[in-house]
């Protein structure tokens, strides 16, 4: 599986962005898809995930502001980010694991290249 993340950019605080992650392969619906982010000098952290059975989880820091969704027909997972804050600035990565639950970063088998999100104050 190859993952291609896109949609990052520069936005003012309070603004919105939608990230996309397109996956190759024919069994996309069987993958749990996750979004992680890594700010400079910090470890990569969990943001959101949607399981192969469409159960959704969010990090507390983004709950109520971010929405993860998937379109299995397009082999794509999305992250809608609203009410962005400067502390959301990071490189955002999508990740995939086959038939997994994926609560941990180490659970994921495949990673995209990352897309930069910068939120100015």
């Amino acid at each position: 599986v190859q993952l291609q993340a896109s949609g990052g950019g520069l936005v003012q605080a309070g603004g919105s962005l939608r990230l996309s992650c397109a996956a190759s392969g024919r069994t996309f619906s069987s993958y749990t898809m996750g979004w992680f982010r890594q700010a400079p000098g910090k470890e990569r952290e969990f943001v959101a995930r949607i399981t192969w059975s469409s159960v959704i989880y969010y990090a507390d820091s983004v709950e109520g502001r971010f929405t993860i969704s998937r379109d299995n027909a397009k082999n794509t997972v999305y992250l809608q980010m609203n009410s962005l804050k400067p502390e959301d600035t990071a490189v955002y990565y999508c990740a995939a694991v086959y038939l997994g639950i994926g609560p941990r970063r180490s659970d994921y088998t495949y990673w995209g290249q990352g897309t930069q999100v910068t939120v100015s104050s």
Side-chain angles (χ1 to χ4, degrees):
V1 175
Q2 292 185 325
L3 304 175
Q4 181 72 40
S6 61
L10 173 64
V11 64
Q12 288 188 331
S16 299
L17 282 173
R18 188 176 83 154
L19 306 183
S20 300
C21 177
S24 64
R26 296 178 293 176
T27 58
F28 176 76
S29 61
S30 298
Y31 283 81
T32 286
M33 301 299 297
W35 285 99
F36 291 77
R37 65 187 181 187
Q38 188 167 16
K42 295 187 177 181
E43 291 193 356
R44 193 171 299 186
E45 65 175 8
F46 166 75
V47 175
R49 72 181 185 271
I50 181 166
T51 71
W52 55 271
S53 56
S54 295
V55 179
I56 291 173
Y57 304 86
Y58 296 102
D60 290 344
S61 59
V62 307
E63 179 84 51
R65 300 188 298 122
F66 290 12
T67 302
I68 189 171
S69 62
R70 66 190 301 158
D71 185 337
N72 290 334
K74 295 182 178 181
N75 280 16
T76 302
V77 63
Y78 304 98
L79 186 67
Q80 177 67 45
M81 305 185 295
N82 298 329
S83 302
L84 282 162
K85 305 175 181 180
E87 50 264 43
D88 294 318
T89 295
V91 177
Y92 283 70
Y93 298 89
C94 60
V97 57
Y98 182 71
L99 291 179
I101 300 299
R104 298 165 301 194
R105 186 179 65 188
S106 59
D107 291 333
Y108 290 83
T109 309
Y110 304 99
W111 290 85
Q113 85 290 358
T115 184
Q116 176 71 47
V117 171
T118 303
V119 184
S120 62
S121 57

